[in-house]
Amino acid sequence: MKYMRTNLSDILDRLKKSSLFKDSFWAVFGNGIGNALLLFAGMIIARFLGKDLYGEYGLIKTTMFQIAMFSTFGLGYSSTKFIAEYIQKDKTKLKSITLSSLKITLIISSTLCLILIFFAKNLADLINAPQLVMPLRFLGVIIICRAISTVTSGLLGGFKSFKELGMNNIISGVVMLLLCIPLTYYFGLKGSLTALLISQVTISILNVLSLKYNFKNVIHTHREKERVN
């Protein structure tokens, strides 16, 4: 019995000291709680809107998120690899990798956003939902925010900032949950879409601020090492 307790204690100590465990914990915990909050918010929205309006809400949300995913061109994943690689090899290239990833994402997502705004009526007619023309145009900015949050999440992953990522996801989920209740209750579909937009703007801003902090921290550490050497 004493031997088993000793082994368990050793295992727990190793897990606490393991960076892999800490990173995995925050990645799973943050994403899990964030998604759970979004799911709960979706249930509340469905309750208030009813099946027909909730179907429209889901259609708009899915359309925006899918277009945003396409606009990143996989930079969310590739940026993780390159940031993690050049932190070890050449920190001077981190700035160009970060800025290039953000610029490409911003240009492509903004272009797709403008295309959606211009062809919103055609898309609404295609899905036989003319009442969605204005929501599609108004929420085109979600494409930009979602694309930026996806790429910055990848960049933060390269910096191993999983705790910040987890906290940002949780905060975004809390914002969505708190706003969707009053906005959906008083303004219906427009209110629920506004809550979705604000939550996406929130996580984009938080990710950019976290990325800025980590970037400055890495560069400062690099310069300090050069001075010592």
Side-chain angles (χ1 to χ4, degrees):
M1 191 71 174
K2 187 184 253 186
Y3 177 75
M4 290 179 63
R5 288 178 180 174
T6 302
N7 278 346
L8 182 60
S9 178
D10 290 340
I11 292 173
L12 291 174
D13 287 338
R14 290 176 184 176
L15 288 175
K16 289 178 181 179
K17 295 176 181 178
S18 171
S19 59
L20 177 62
F21 174 76
K22 291 178 182 178
D23 294 342
S24 300
F25 171 79
W26 279 109
V28 173
F29 177 76
N31 288 328
I33 297 297
N35 289 330
L37 290 169
L38 291 176
L39 177 61
F40 191 42
M43 293 169 63
I44 294 172
I45 291 172
R47 178 77 174 179
F48 285 146
L49 295 181
K51 62 180 181 180
D52 292 333
L53 285 178
Y54 183 73
E56 294 180 7
Y57 168 83
L59 177 64
I60 294 173
K61 177 183 176 182
T62 302
T63 300
M64 298 302 175
F65 281 18
Q66 291 299 322
I67 295 175
M69 185 63 68
F70 172 77
S71 70
T72 64
F73 280 179
L75 284 173
Y77 298 105
S78 58
S79 59
T80 302
K81 174 186 178 298
F82 284 111
I83 290 293
E85 180 181 346
Y86 281 96
I87 280 180
Q88 304 298 326
K89 290 171 54 177
D90 187 0
K91 291 182 175 64
T92 59
K93 293 185 177 181
L94 293 177
K95 184 176 181 179
S96 62
I97 294 172
T98 301
L99 292 178
S100 296
S101 299
L102 290 173
K103 284 180 181 178
I104 292 171
T105 300
L106 188 59
I107 291 172
I108 297 174
S109 61
S110 298
T111 302
L112 291 175
C113 174
L114 291 174
I115 292 174
L116 177 65
I117 291 173
F118 187 77
F119 290 103
K121 187 177 184 306
N122 302 78
L123 178 59
D125 291 338
L126 181 65
I127 60 179
N128 195 27
Q131 71 276 14
L132 296 182
V133 174
M134 289 310 296
L136 286 170
R137 286 174 174 167
F138 174 68
L139 291 170
V141 69
I142 287 183
I143 295 173
I144 301 174
C145 293
R146 184 71 176 181
I148 290 175
S149 67
T150 299
V151 171
T152 50
S153 293
L155 291 166
L156 287 170
F159 282 107
K160 296 183 179 180
S161 302
F162 297 104
K163 183 176 181 180
E164 288 90 341
L165 271 173
M167 293 303 299
N168 292 348
N169 280 319
I170 292 173
I171 293 171
S172 175
V174 170
V175 169
M176 178 65 183
L177 182 60
L178 292 178
L179 290 179
C180 77
I181 298 173
L183 289 177
T184 306
Y185 181 79
Y186 287 108
F187 303 104
L189 178 61
K190 292 181 180 179
S192 62
L193 292 173
T194 301
L196 178 64
L197 173 60
I198 294 173
S199 72
Q200 293 304 305
V201 171
T202 299
I203 192 170
S204 298
I205 293 174
L206 290 174
N207 278 359
V208 169
L209 292 176
S210 297
L211 182 61
K212 186 177 181 181
Y213 170 79
N214 280 275
F215 181 75
K216 285 185 176 180
N217 189 41
V218 170
I219 296 301
H220 176 73
T221 303
H222 175 65
R223 288 174 179 172
E224 287 296 321
K225 287 183 179 179
E226 285 186 337
R227 288 175 184 175
V228 171
N229 295 332

